[in-house]
């Protein structure tokens, strides 16, 4: 995707990493940047490659994964719009350990390493903002590791849905969501099979927390009341009532029709 230098400067100036920097610095970064539009299944970089750029997700979703010599794959992160990745790797000489691949059509801003370093040489604030981005990503990784180690399967699904609905939680009792990530990728990220994920969705639906139709999920008033605010406390106060550990106060009264989710 060909984008003018002025347009790139406008886009970069809206990103938290470059916000409030002098126009001359943003123009320097823009000269090393380009917008990339990619289909589902495209590789951004592979394990073993040398870092050459950082990336900002404008639209779409990607998976970060590591592979075993036997061909197994572990999804360690799902990247969503407005997320930045590849920042910390720019500061070392080690190759990438993970690979990144699109799981839906994606639009990215890619900024070359040399342009970033030139801009940092001229503007110390950019260095501080880069360090802040690295620290934020480190905290996010640590939270995800803690969740993987300490949460049950259903708690992971509830937390994922809670995060998706967080922006609308203060505006509506019922929250409408569209799941853009394929079921097998989401299940792999949470550490269980697609069949287990389907069962957890079904049990949450039967318990009246969600309604599911294909990729469309409605978080009911019961969900938002119990989970949208203070998820950890709410989960701690509920008792497990199924093999997957779904929490509810009484037998389910609602069963929702399910469509295939591919």
């Amino acid at each position: 995707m060909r984008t003018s230098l002025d347009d790139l400067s406008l886009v970069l100036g809206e990103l938290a990493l470059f916000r409030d920097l002098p126009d001359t610095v943003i123009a320097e970064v823009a000269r090393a940047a380009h917008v990339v539009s990619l289909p589902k299944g495209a590789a951004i970089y592979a394990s073993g490659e040398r870092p050459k750029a950082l990336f900002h997700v404008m639209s779409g979703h990607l998976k970060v994964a590591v592979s075993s010599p036997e061909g197994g794959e572990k999804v360690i992160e799902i990247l969503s719009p407005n997320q930045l990745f590849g920042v910390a790797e720019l500061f070392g000489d080690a190759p990438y350990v993970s690979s990144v691949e699109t799981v839906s059509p994606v639009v990215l801003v890619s900024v070359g390493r040399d342009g970033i370093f030139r801009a940092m040489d001229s503007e110390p604030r950019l260095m501080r903002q880069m360090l802040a981005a690295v620290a934020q990503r480190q905290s996010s990784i640590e939270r995800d590791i803690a969740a993987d180690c300490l949460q049950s399967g259903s708690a992971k699904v509830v937390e994922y849905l809670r995060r998706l609905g967080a922006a609308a939680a203060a505006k509506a009792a019922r929250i409408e969501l569209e799941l853009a990530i394929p079921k097998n990728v989401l299940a792999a990220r949470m550490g269980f099979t697609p069949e287990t994920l389907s069962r957890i969705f079904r049990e949450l639906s039967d318990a009246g927390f969600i309604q599911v139709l294909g990729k469309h999920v409605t978080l009911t008033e019961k969900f938002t009341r119990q989970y949208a605010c203070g998820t950890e406390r709410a989960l701690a106060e509920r008792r497990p009532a199924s093999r997957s550990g779904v929490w509810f106060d009484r037998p389910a009264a609602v069963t929702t029709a399910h469509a295939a989710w591919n």
Side-chain angles (χ1 to χ4, degrees):
M1 181 183 295
R2 298 181 63 86
T3 309
S4 72
L5 187 63
D6 287 343
D7 287 343
L8 277 170
S9 295
L10 288 173
V11 170
L12 292 169
E14 292 298 315
L15 305 186
L17 185 61
F18 307 112
R19 194 171 296 148
D20 300 326
L21 295 179
D23 291 343
T24 54
V25 175
I26 293 178
E28 180 66 50
V29 175
R31 280 190 281 273
H34 60 282
V35 176
V36 184
S37 182
L38 296 167
K40 177 181 177 181
I44 308 303
Y45 57 73
S47 172
E49 293 182 6
R50 296 283 175 175
K52 297 179 180 178
L54 63 80
F55 306 89
H56 176 85
V57 185
M58 296 181 69
S59 65
H61 295 81
L62 308 94
K63 66 176 180 179
V64 183
V66 293
S67 300
S68 68
E70 295 75 25
E73 180 183 78
K74 167 62 178 175
V75 177
I76 59 177
E77 188 176 10
I78 300 295
L79 298 167
S80 301
N82 298 318
Q83 282 192 268
L84 193 69
F85 66 99
V87 179
E89 291 87 344
L90 291 183
F91 293 97
D93 294 325
Y96 291 116
V97 175
S98 60
S99 61
V100 178
E101 180 181 306
T102 62
V103 296
S104 69
V106 163
V107 177
L108 296 172
V109 177
S110 170
V111 185
R113 179 179 190 169
D114 291 343
I116 290 290
F117 285 1
R118 287 194 299 269
M120 286 193 298
D121 288 341
S122 64
E123 178 51 66
R125 277 189 297 169
L126 179 55
M127 174 63 80
R128 293 195 294 269
Q129 288 174 202
M130 292 280 285
L131 289 173
V134 171
Q136 183 179 30
R137 186 158 173 79
Q138 176 68 22
S139 296
S140 176
I141 290 171
E142 290 177 2
R143 284 194 298 270
D144 286 345
I145 291 172
D148 285 343
C149 295
L150 301 175
Q151 287 184 331
S152 68
S154 60
K156 292 178 186 178
V157 174
V158 165
E159 176 62 11
Y160 174 75
L161 294 174
R162 188 192 70 83
R163 289 183 184 180
L164 284 184
K171 303 175 184 178
R174 291 168 60 88
I175 300 172
E176 307 294 330
L177 302 175
E178 195 74 21
L179 301 178
I181 302 171
K183 180 173 68 173
N184 63 316
V185 176
L186 181 57
R189 172 63 191 90
M190 294 182 178
F192 37 73
T193 66
E195 292 75 19
T196 297
L197 179 60
S198 294
R199 188 177 72 242
I200 292 172
F201 265 79
R202 184 170 60 251
E203 291 171 343
L204 287 169
S205 177
D206 290 345
F209 291 114
I210 64 175
Q211 296 172 354
V212 182
L213 184 60
K215 295 182 179 181
H216 186 82
V217 176
T218 300
L219 307 184
T220 67
E221 184 176 354
K222 182 175 181 180
F223 183 102
T224 59
R225 188 171 61 247
Q226 295 193 17
Y227 297 134
C229 299
T231 298
E232 290 79 13
R233 183 184 65 186
L235 290 174
E237 291 173 353
R238 307 258 73 80
R239 60 180 178 83
S242 74
R243 289 178 299 169
S244 300
V246 174
W247 285 262
F248 56 86
D249 296 319
R250 59 185 180 275
V254 179
T255 301
T256 306
H258 294 263
W261 178 19
N262 299 311

